[in-house]
């Protein structure tokens, strides 16, 4: 096993860049870590703990030199949704959260063993975009209670916070609302009036301003409260230690699997985007191992599930990070905050944390992705809309499951009715084109059919029906040439369909021929008895050869 892959061939000239970037990300991650723990319904210190050892474990194994691992908004929301039905108070939630992190780690390591890194293309961009957009809206709505100072429960539909805000408008805590809106406006404007790394320090100034307002102005609004000082203890999740014979932890398995998958996809997409800029190479499967160990570290240090964050990673890159040494620096600074400066945040207003969360997730709402998908291909737009709606109406796990299932069903539908073209010779060349799109030369006795899809159980009957229909329309046909230039695989159902076609055509005194079939497909057919039964039908190297030898032009 190669440890610290991003530190291979390290140059001393990079040290200054890594130290500076690590410090800048630490300044950013401290308020974010507290805010995301707040979003997950957990004590503030769990967010800080999630930004220490998990960073070190990813730095040890990960292949992205600039990916910043730690607590992130989407995973925090999914953690809340997973834990809310099982517990109500923060201490019990924290006990479940460490167990959830361990289960997430187990799934990531399982995905690593089975090589899931090569399977991620089964989840379309439309599904991921719709999921993150809907989740971001849910996150924004969940912060209404903190901005308004109202008591709003987690039960009810996604729009419940809006209804509660209207129904309890007379109980709104105006100081909290005013402060929250001012901070939110500041966070939205700050990146537009500043440049470089300074543009990302808005949350730090927001935290400092909020604490100053509460302390100096003596405003009576909800704050974070006491944050235990010191580093987390190393221990197995309490739920596994004391309740392993009960079913509580097993109820977390579906959520853990989805969180592992989404956390990995989010991390991989961020790492891949940055790799294009840094010209580094990402190993998708090794990223599963690195994230799995990072989440195991979170579970052993009283934290909750972690992933790679887009905002922090881009700050890390913009700040000049060269390797994961920057993450080590970040972890050390956060550890120092836990040891000596945690009491600085006790007067941090909840409304400020809510504003930080809203500002962080607003860019994740991508309506344009859905519109562009609809305009390009309505089926992809439909997937986006249904996934988006399912996440809002139900929950993240259900939405993802519905989106993936719908994607696979529509894929099967498309491939079950493949594009099939009757082709002819284009002018005097050896090129063949669709007779419905081009002026081509054909022969009344020869039918050239090109199928633009693999031949398998879902579409083989469709091909047979198409050929039978064309023959019934052209009784003079004596040869059918099946062009396989776009066929990469034929399964057993496809093979049996070719056998039936051969028999049926022969009964009509029509010969079946094959042309332009690829080597691997021919290897499959040669291992069967199809080619021996094909005679006097032939296998041609090109469609042009077939047309010439069979008497066509």
């Amino acid at each position: 096993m190669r440890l610290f892959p991003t530190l291979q061939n390290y140059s001393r000239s990079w040290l200054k860049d890594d130290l500076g970037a690590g410090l800048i990300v630490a300044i950013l991650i401290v308020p974010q870590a507290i805010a995301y723990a707040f979003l997950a319904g957990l004590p503030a210190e769990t967010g800080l703990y999630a930004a220490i050892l998990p960073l070190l474990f990813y730095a040890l194994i990960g292949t992205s030199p600039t990916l910043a691992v730690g607590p992130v908004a989407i995973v925090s929301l999914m953690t809340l949704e997973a834990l809310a039905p099982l517990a109500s108070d923060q201490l019990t939630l924290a006990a479940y959260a460490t167990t959830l992190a361990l289960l997430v780690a187990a799934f990531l390591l399982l995905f690593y063993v089975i090589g899931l890194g090569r399977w991620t293309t089964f989840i379309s961009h439309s599904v991921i975009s719709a999921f993150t957009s809907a989740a971001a809206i849910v996150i924004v709505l969940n912060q209404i209670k903190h901005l308004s100072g109202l008591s709003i429960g987690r039960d009810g539909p996604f729009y419940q916070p809006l209804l509660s805000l209207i129904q309890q408008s007379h109980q709104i805590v105006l100081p909290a609302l005013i402060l929250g809106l001012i901070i939110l406006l500041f966070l939205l404007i700050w990146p537009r009036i500043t440049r470089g790394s300074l543009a990302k320090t808005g949350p730090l100034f927001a935290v400092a301003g909020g604490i100053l307002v509460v302390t100096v102005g003596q405003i009576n609004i909800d704050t974070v409260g006491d944050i235990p000082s010191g580093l987390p203890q190393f221990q197995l999740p309490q739920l596994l230690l004391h309740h392993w014979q009960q079913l509580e932890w097993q109820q977390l398995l579906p959520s853990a699997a989805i969180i592992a998958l989404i956390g990995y996809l989010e991390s991989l997409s961020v790492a891949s985007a940055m790799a294009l800029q840094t010209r580094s190479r990402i190993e998708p499967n090794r990223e599963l191992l690195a994230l799995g160990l990072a989440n195991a570290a979170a579970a052993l240090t009283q934290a909750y599930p972690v992933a790679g964050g887009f905002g922090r990673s881009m700050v890390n890159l913009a700040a000049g990070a060269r390797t994961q040494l920057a993450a080590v620096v970040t972890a050390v600074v956060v550890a120092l905050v836990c040891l000596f400066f945690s009491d600085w945040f006790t007067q941090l207003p909840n409304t400020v944390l809510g504003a930080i969360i809203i500002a962080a997730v607003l860019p994740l709402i991508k309506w344009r992705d859905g519109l562009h998908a609809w305009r390009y291909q309505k089926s992809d737009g439909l997937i986006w809309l249904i996934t988006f709606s399912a996440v809002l109406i139900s929950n993240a796990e259900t939405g993802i499951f519905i989106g993936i299932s719908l994607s696979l069903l529509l894929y099967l539908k498309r491939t079950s009715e493949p594009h099939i073209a009757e082709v002819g010779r284009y002018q005097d060349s050896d090129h063949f084109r669709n007779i419905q799109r081009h002026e081509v030369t054909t022969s009344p006795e020869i039918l050239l059919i090109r199928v633009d899809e693999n031949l398998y159980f879902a579409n083989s009957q469709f091909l047979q029906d198409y050929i039978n229909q064309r023959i019934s329309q052209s009784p003079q046909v004596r040869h059918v040439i099946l062009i396989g230039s776009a066929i990469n695989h034929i399964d057993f159902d496809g093979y049996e369909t070719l056998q039936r076609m051969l028999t049926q055509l022969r009964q009509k005194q029509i010969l079946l021929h094959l042309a332009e079939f690829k080597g691997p497909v021919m290897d499959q057919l040669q291992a069967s008895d199809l080619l021996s039964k094909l005679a006097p039908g032939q296998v041609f190297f090109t469609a042009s050869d077939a047309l010439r030898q069979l008497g066509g032009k």
Side-chain angles (χ1 to χ4, degrees), residues 2 22 43 50 133 149 277 316 321 351 353 365 381 460 478 483 486 515 523:
R2 293 178 288 109
S133 297
Q277 301 183 47
N316 199 30
T351 187
L353 292 177
I365 303 175
S460 55
R478 290 294 172 261
I483 301 175
D523 291 341

Side-chain angles (χ1 to χ4, degrees), residues 234-245:
F234 290 87
Q235 60 182 27
L236 283 172
Q238 293 295 315
L239 192 64
L240 290 184
L241 288 175
H242 301 295
H243 302 286
W244 65 273
Q245 291 181 327

Side-chain angles (χ1 to χ4, degrees), residues 29 46-55 57-58 68-76 79 97 100-102 104-105 108 259-264 266-267 290-299 301 303-309 312:
I29 202 174
T46 60
L48 294 173
Y49 297 162
I52 302 177
L53 201 62
L55 275 70
F57 270 71
Y58 180 83
V69 170
V72 296
I74 298 297
V75 171
S76 298
T79 299
L100 181 63
L102 189 61
V104 170
L108 286 167
I259 291 173
L261 184 60
I262 294 301
Y264 169 67
E266 181 179 358
S267 304
L291 290 170
L293 294 178
N295 277 277
T301 54
Y304 71 103
V306 298
R312 290 194 304 273

Side-chain angles (χ1 to χ4, degrees), residues 408-427:
L408 293 177
L409 286 174
L410 289 177
Y411 170 77
L412 287 175
K413 182 181 183 302
R414 283 194 295 265
T415 57
S416 67
E417 299 177 356
H419 178 258
I420 298 176
E422 181 180 348
V423 299
R425 187 187 297 279
Y426 181 72
Q427 297 181 357

Side-chain angles (χ1 to χ4, degrees), residues 145-179:
K145 62 181 179 181
H146 303 302
L147 290 180
S148 63
L150 298 175
S151 177
I152 301 175
R154 299 191 186 105
D155 298 331
F158 73 94
Y159 53 83
Q160 182 61 44
L162 285 175
L163 291 179
S164 299
L165 180 65
I166 296 172
Q167 295 168 354
Q168 305 176 39
S169 58
H170 60 285
Q171 299 178 1
I172 291 176
V173 180
L174 284 178
L177 180 62
I178 294 172
L179 177 60

